[in-house]
Amino acid sequence: RLTAVALLVVPSSIAFSPASPHLQTRQCIFSSRLVPLLAAGPKEDQPSTSTTGPRSESRRRSSSSSSSSRSRSQRPERRSASTRPRRRAPTNAPAVAIKRAPHQFDHTKAEARPFIDAQTELAKQPSNEDAPPYTLPPSSSSSSSPKEITHSHIQFKSLDDMFPNLAFSQKFASSKTFRNELRSSMREDIFDTTPAYAGMSDKARKMLLLPDSSLQGSWKCHNGGWVAPVGKEKKEGAVRMNKLTKVLQSHLGPNAPTGDEFMDTIGSLCGSKPSTHWIDIVGVLDRRIPHSWHQDTGMSMNGDTYTVLLGFPPVDEYDGIGVFSHLVKLKEERWAEEGHVMNEPVLYGRMEEMEEEMYVVRPRWAEGRELVMYRDVDVLHSSPDVAYRASVMRFM
């Protein structure tokens, strides 16, 4: 008999640190079970005599029959599958916790399966931006007198605020073509200048740049740790976001900011000590999912570090919810516990005990409200239970 062995090799996957611009590549190789394959072929030749005639044939048949009978009687009986003892799973096997990135969701497939009409569902939900603050139960390391929050939990900014005299907000809100080209060029420029993506095949590049997929990297351009695209050299004063620059000039005119200026200006809202992490999030669309409340880091370096969201609505002239993350304002600052790993999310789960309709804020996207910013210690946030967007970009 011939035995063949099948080995399954899965191409490398990419793992990212959720709040670091330095992305890492992790090789994942899996081997399949060794599968015995029986190959058809001649059996070993048996010695035979040169007898002829009917008696000889009868003798051979009788001998073969008795030999076969002896062989069967000597073989032990095979037990049926129902009577075989089953292998028990080890009782002392450690439970492995599933780690999710902050933009992922704590829900089962069954809960997310039913399709919905997002606009019909969103019409039933209030924005609730005037929601009262929520008092979190004290954590094990909470100080005796946590600081009460007296400033605004959530701030809105417009693209006109950031780039005046260009009618930026109006063009962004009214032109899906502009939004799509802006988003696509940003993704391509970041992909082509991020070290972790260098050397990937054209096929992998096309897959990772599909518009329904999330992508991450660093927003920092000036003095950033980016690399030059393949076939080019990074020179002093070189522009990183070349494709984005062309799109901005095409739609906003010659006074438009460069792509680098666009990224660094929005990134400057993140405060004095940002991580420079950037991610373009799509999420679950056309389905309802449970909220999964968390903080991205549970920190605000120097007390003035913010998370900034740039929303991309799915249709022109949109005015409504479902684009930005949902938020819960906190009555008191909530910092990550001492010893918490830097840039790891602080997870709170579904918090079903919270009266959601009273506390959940669903920030409204509209022209002049393209950007939302908040400190991570002032709020909890979650992906929308019903999302309606092309994407949302997060700057940290």
Side-chain angles (χ1 to χ4, degrees):
R1 296 179 180 175
L2 301 178
T3 301
V5 175
L7 181 65
L8 174 64
V9 179
V10 177
S12 64
S13 64
I14 305 299
F16 301 99
S17 173
S20 171
H22 306 291
L23 311 182
Q24 303 169 339
T25 304
R26 184 180 301 161
Q27 296 289 335
C28 298
I29 301 178
F30 304 92
S31 59
S32 67
R33 293 182 179 180
L34 300 181
V35 183
L37 304 175
L38 299 180
K43 296 182 181 180
E44 295 180 1
D45 293 335
Q46 300 295 329
S48 61
T49 60
S50 58
T51 53
T52 60
R55 261 180 103 174
S56 299
E57 290 292 328
S58 176
R59 194 178 295 115
R60 281 199 297 273
R61 284 195 297 269
S62 175
S63 173
S64 175
S65 175
S66 61
S67 174
S68 176
S69 176
R70 283 196 304 274
S71 177
R72 282 195 298 270
S73 65
Q74 292 169 0
R75 282 193 293 236
E77 288 187 6
R78 297 179 64 183
R79 287 184 288 183
S80 66
S82 61
T83 60
R84 288 183 209 151
R86 295 183 178 179
R87 179 183 294 178
R88 295 182 179 179
T91 56
N92 59 347
V96 180
I98 299 174
K99 294 183 68 176
R100 294 182 172 90
H103 63 282
Q104 293 178 309
F105 315 100
D106 185 17
H107 63 81
T108 64
K109 185 180 291 186
E111 290 170 319
R113 189 179 302 279
F115 286 93
I116 60 170
D117 180 78
Q119 290 178 288
T120 301
E121 294 295 319
L122 292 175
K124 307 172 186 176
Q125 296 185 344
S127 175
N128 205 29
E129 291 178 5
D130 295 327
Y134 178 72
T135 302
L136 273 176
S139 66
S140 58
S141 63
S142 294
S143 61
S144 56
S145 56
K147 185 177 179 181
E148 185 172 349
I149 300 169
T150 57
H151 55 261
S152 297
H153 291 76
I154 308 165
Q155 300 179 48
F156 290 90
K157 296 283 185 181
S158 73
L159 290 170
D160 285 344
D161 294 333
M162 311 306 297
F163 310 97
N165 305 318
L166 294 171
F168 204 146
S169 292
Q170 186 272 327
K171 292 174 182 176
F172 187 82
S174 62
S175 175
K176 186 174 183 179
T177 299
F178 180 29
R179 293 193 303 274
N180 287 346
E181 290 180 3
L182 189 77
R183 178 175 175 241
S184 177
S185 62
M186 289 172 68
R187 288 166 61 92
E188 287 191 58
D189 282 335
I190 288 180
F191 182 95
D192 292 337
T193 57
T194 297
Y197 299 127
M200 284 194 175
S201 66
D202 288 340
K203 184 176 181 180
R205 183 179 186 276
K206 289 179 181 178
M207 291 180 64
L208 290 171
L209 289 175
L210 289 173
D212 61 350
S213 66
S214 294
L215 187 78
Q216 57 186 324
S218 170
W219 55 259
K220 189 171 180 60
C221 295
H222 181 65
N223 293 331
W226 54 276
V227 297
V230 176
K232 296 184 179 180
E233 184 180 351
K234 184 179 178 180
K235 298 180 180 179
E236 184 71 24
V239 175
R240 176 193 185 189
M241 309 293 287
N242 289 286
K243 293 183 174 66
L244 177 58
T245 297
K246 293 177 181 178
V247 169
L248 290 168
Q249 291 178 346
S250 172
H251 289 270
L252 301 177
N255 295 325
T258 65
D260 289 23
E261 290 169 343
F262 177 85
M263 299 296 289
D264 285 343
T265 300
I266 294 179
S268 68
L269 294 174
C270 295
S272 62
K273 199 172 181 180
S275 70
T276 80
H277 183 256
W278 170 94
I279 184 170
D280 182 33
I281 305 168
V282 179
V284 178
L285 303 177
D286 300 319
R287 298 182 184 187
R288 177 186 291 275
I289 62 172
H291 284 120
S292 184
W293 300 105
H294 62 275
Q295 296 168 294
D296 286 322
T297 64
M299 299 180 187
S300 177
M301 303 302 290
N302 295 337
D304 66 352
T305 302
Y306 286 80
T307 297
V308 179
L309 305 179
L310 170 62
F312 287 73
V315 295
D316 290 342
E317 311 295 350
Y318 186 63
D319 186 336
I321 60 177
V323 177
F324 294 122
S325 300
H326 289 179
L327 306 167
V328 170
K329 304 173 188 177
L330 299 180
K331 186 175 181 62
E332 299 168 334
E333 293 179 354
R334 175 56 63 94
W335 294 76
E337 295 185 3
E338 186 176 351
H340 181 77
V341 179
M342 182 70 173
N343 295 328
E344 284 286 328
V346 182
L347 306 178
Y348 293 87
R350 298 187 185 181
M351 296 182 64
E352 294 174 349
E353 73 281 1
M354 186 175 63
E355 299 178 46
E356 290 197 353
E357 290 309 313
M358 178 185 293
Y359 295 106
V360 175
V361 176
R362 302 171 180 86
R364 181 174 62 88
W365 192 100
E367 180 181 332
R369 293 163 62 103
E370 299 89 15
L371 295 150
V372 166
M373 54 188 294
Y374 53 84
R375 292 197 315 164
D376 205 48
V377 296
D378 293 342
V379 300
L380 305 183
H381 61 275
S382 168
S383 294
D385 54 351
V386 178
Y388 187 61
R389 64 192 180 195
S391 80
V392 64
M393 292 184 179
R394 187 186 71 196
F395 295 69
M396 293 180 68

